[in-house]
Amino acid sequence: MKTADIALYHAKESIGSSYSYYSIEIENKFRRNNQLEENLKQALEKDEFDIYYQGIVDCNLERVTAAEALARWSNPELGDVEPSVFIPVAEKIGIMPELGLWIIERVFSDMKKWNCYGSLEEGVSINISIAQL
């Protein structure tokens, strides 16, 4: 029954496919997704997210005039998880609005600190999920 459930789950997740056969690869993917979802649900509470800033250089001025905020997740169990992996899962399980709000608040807090040292002329861009809107 367990393997049939895993194959059923895989068939439902596959675009354009109405059936699936069980394989160990499918089971491993299923277990990884479950582990990812469970860890992601607790990641905000455990302060596992961080923001990295990628500078945007104005070539005419030859200096950084803006930045892009990039969310990163480092989990003790899973290691560094790529945004392309955790963001769709966050949207799927419904925590993207909460995560998005944390990102916005963190960026504003960081920008407030930077104003003491001079601010970026063009500010900081933040990518927002459609789930956030």
Side-chain angles (χ1 to χ4, degrees):
M1 288 303 287
K2 181 180 113 182
T3 57
D5 282 343
I6 291 170
L8 177 64
Y9 173 81
H10 183 258
K12 287 181 178 181
E13 292 290 313
S14 299
I15 297 172
S17 179
S18 60
Y19 66 92
S20 177
Y21 295 102
Y22 169 82
S23 73
I24 193 68
E25 291 83 17
I26 291 173
E27 182 173 356
N28 289 339
K29 181 181 175 186
F30 177 76
R31 288 179 189 273
R32 169 115 170 116
N33 285 344
N34 284 343
Q35 183 183 31
L36 190 68
E37 286 179 17
E38 290 304 312
N39 284 298
L40 190 54
K41 288 176 185 175
Q42 301 169 13
L44 273 174
E45 295 170 10
K46 293 182 177 181
D47 197 30
E48 294 177 355
F49 288 100
D50 203 3
I51 301 294
Y52 286 58
Y53 294 94
Q54 179 173 322
I56 299 172
V57 176
D58 182 323
C59 293
N60 293 328
L61 299 174
E62 296 181 350
R63 63 186 167 91
V64 175
T65 57
E68 179 180 12
L70 306 169
R72 296 294 182 256
W73 178 29
S74 183
N75 177 271
E77 211 174 302
L78 303 171
D80 293 336
V81 182
E82 292 290 322
S84 61
V85 173
F86 75 80
I87 289 175
V89 176
E91 291 172 338
K92 176 184 167 191
I93 64 175
I95 66 163
M96 199 62 222
E98 183 181 0
L99 176 57
L101 182 60
W102 178 87
I103 292 168
I104 291 167
E105 289 174 347
R106 172 69 185 273
V107 170
F108 285 177
S109 174
D110 287 349
M111 287 180 67
K112 185 176 178 181
K113 291 175 193 172
W114 297 341
N115 280 334
C116 298
Y117 307 104
S119 63
L120 298 170
E121 294 172 12
E122 298 176 28
V124 176
S125 63
I126 304 170
N127 297 317
I128 297 176
S129 165
I130 192 71
Q132 182 69 28
L133 299 175

